[in-house]
Amino acid sequence: MRVCSLGDTPRLMPEESTTPDLVEVVRRLFEASNRRDFDAVMRFYAPDGVWEATGIGQSFDGEAAIRGLYEDWVGGYEKHEIVLDEGKDLGNGVVFADLTQGGRLAGSTGDVRSREGWIFRFVDGKIVWVTGRATLAAAERLAEERG
């Protein structure tokens, strides 16, 4: 608790939490990606973060590789957007993101859209690992293992 005085009357105020709302962090990450602000995107990741792209069988390790992934992936679209439909903080630094992503591929006239689940693992408020095409059950197991 901290003391705050209004006029001559001091009163106790609850301390503000220093723990980030991890679901909100994921939402802000997606907003930065949607703006194609890759410098902002990278501020959400730990320097040694890992993005496991299970759909293409590749892992992107570290800042340069993750940034390259975002630039190539989002850059392939004339218009691209990721929307967090629902986020669940499962505890122990694990967040499950139910999302919709899509847009118009460069040179195309049609839109593509997919609904996916991604798992994020955080340490000290930074993303250290993420994977796509995941299920809530897998995220819950990871949170339990980390507990």
Side-chain angles (χ1 to χ4, degrees):
M1 301 292 268
R2 63 187 167 93
V3 176
C4 174
S5 64
L6 281 167
D8 294 331
T9 311
R11 50 184 209 176
L12 294 177
M13 301 292 293
E15 289 291 334
E16 290 185 28
S17 173
T18 58
T19 305
D21 176 343
L22 298 180
V23 172
E24 184 58 28
V25 170
V26 170
R27 184 178 317 283
R28 290 192 338 255
L29 166 70
F30 291 165
E31 289 170 355
S33 177
N34 292 343
R35 291 190 314 270
R36 298 174 187 244
D37 184 348
F38 302 116
D39 290 334
V41 165
M42 295 315 303
R43 285 193 286 272
F44 294 99
Y45 285 88
D48 59 348
V50 175
W51 215 119
E52 284 190 22
T54 56
I56 60 173
Q58 282 189 273
S59 180
F60 298 85
D61 300 357
E63 291 176 323
I66 293 171
R67 184 184 180 108
L69 168 66
Y70 273 95
E71 289 174 348
D72 290 347
W73 166 22
V74 175
Y77 288 82
E78 286 180 22
K79 171 181 103 173
H80 183 264
E81 181 179 51
I82 303 173
V83 176
L84 180 62
D85 297 318
E86 183 178 4
K88 294 183 186 230
D89 185 335
L90 301 172
N92 299 316
V94 177
V95 171
F96 179 74
D98 181 9
L99 62 99
T100 303
Q101 75 164 315
R104 184 170 33 271
L105 290 168
S108 174
T109 58
D111 285 352
V112 294
R113 190 152 306 288
S114 66
R115 183 107 186 242
E116 302 174 29
W118 292 3
I119 301 171
F120 291 86
R121 190 163 47 108
F122 287 83
V123 172
D124 297 328
K126 296 285 189 176
I127 300 166
V128 296
W129 179 84
V130 62
T131 189
R133 299 193 180 186
T135 64
L136 176 58
E140 290 171 334
R141 281 191 303 274
L142 178 61
E144 196 172 292
E145 289 169 7
R146 294 199 50 168

